[in-house]
Amino acid sequence: MNMRVGQGFDVHAFGEGNQVMLGGIAIPHTRGLVAHSDGDVLIHALCDALLGAAGLGDIGHHFPDTDPHYKGASGESLLTASLDKVTGLGWRVVNVDITVLAQVPRVAAHRPAMTANLARMLALPLDAVNVKATTTERLGFVGREEGIAVQAICLLQKSPTTG
Ligand code: MG
């Protein structure tokens, strides 16, 4: 069995707005995230993990923020497009594990919704999608409430018979 691991990391700064998108779920907050797309920093990190595991570079290469086509692009559209590229090479996602680093807003209460939404988009069972959240104990840019960072990792599998 051929297997590959990939990791992704993304950061977005807080700016104007009243909600942040994480895993396709709108979480109310006193600010939004600055972005060319909808700023779903969780999905951006996850896309990089998927693309990385398949040896396909990164999200900026496939969906450049200089391209007006991707202005306001939803996380779901980017994740679906990334998944299509990965499965197009014969890979199947085994599991994903995600860590949200945020001092604010508190995202723990939204974990079940994020997990279910990501599982739906990835066509995975719930136990193959894990979302964790942590503060940084008020240290660094996350701790100063300047933005949100997300780490993601995924495992891909390809059976020899499917190429
Ligand atoms: Mg991003």
Side-chain angles (χ1 to χ4, degrees), residues 10-12 35 37 39-41 44-45 59:
D10 196 25
V11 172
H12 279 257
S37 65
D40 197 321
V41 58
H44 297 175
I59 190 174

Side-chain angles (χ1 to χ4, degrees), residues 2-75:
N2 199 357
M3 303 192 106
R4 295 280 181 85
V5 67
Q7 65 97 26
F9 177 72
D10 196 25
V11 172
H12 279 257
F14 286 127
E16 284 185 24
N18 56 14
Q19 64 177 33
V20 299
M21 294 297 291
L22 286 176
I25 302 296
I27 298 176
H29 187 46
T30 54
R31 285 167 285 172
L33 291 173
V34 179
H36 183 73
S37 65
D38 74 353
D40 197 321
V41 58
L42 186 158
I43 285 184
H44 297 175
L46 181 55
C47 287
D48 268 353
L50 291 167
L51 294 168
L56 287 172
D58 63 30
I59 190 174
H61 169 74
H62 293 281
F63 316 108
D65 63 10
T66 51
D67 186 337
H69 179 70
Y70 299 112
K71 185 160 177 54
S74 72

Side-chain angles (χ1 to χ4, degrees), residues 13 16 21 32 35 37 65 82 88 96 112 119 148 155 157:
E16 284 185 24
M21 294 297 291
S37 65
D65 63 10
S82 298
V96 302
I148 294 177
L155 186 68
Q157 162 180 306

Side-chain angles (χ1 to χ4, degrees), residues 41-147:
V41 58
L42 186 158
I43 285 184
H44 297 175
L46 181 55
C47 287
D48 268 353
L50 291 167
L51 294 168
L56 287 172
D58 63 30
I59 190 174
H61 169 74
H62 293 281
F63 316 108
D65 63 10
T66 51
D67 186 337
H69 179 70
Y70 299 112
K71 185 160 177 54
S74 72
E76 177 156 4
S77 69
L78 296 176
L79 181 56
T80 301
S82 298
L83 184 64
D84 283 349
K85 291 178 188 297
V86 169
T87 57
L89 294 176
W91 294 106
R92 184 179 72 78
V93 181
V94 177
N95 75 304
V96 302
D97 188 21
I98 296 154
T99 304
V100 178
L101 295 90
Q103 196 70 43
V104 288
R106 290 297 180 142
V107 299
H110 303 277
R111 275 179 43 202
M114 291 189 283
T115 301
N117 201 35
L118 292 167
R120 175 186 61 79
M121 291 187 244
L122 295 167
L124 287 175
L126 284 176
D127 69 356
V129 178
N130 197 68
V131 178
K132 308 183 297 297
T134 184
T135 71
T136 60
E137 301 291 348
R138 303 219 160 266
L139 296 171
F141 68 88
V142 169
R144 291 189 298 269
E145 304 184 6
E146 295 170 359

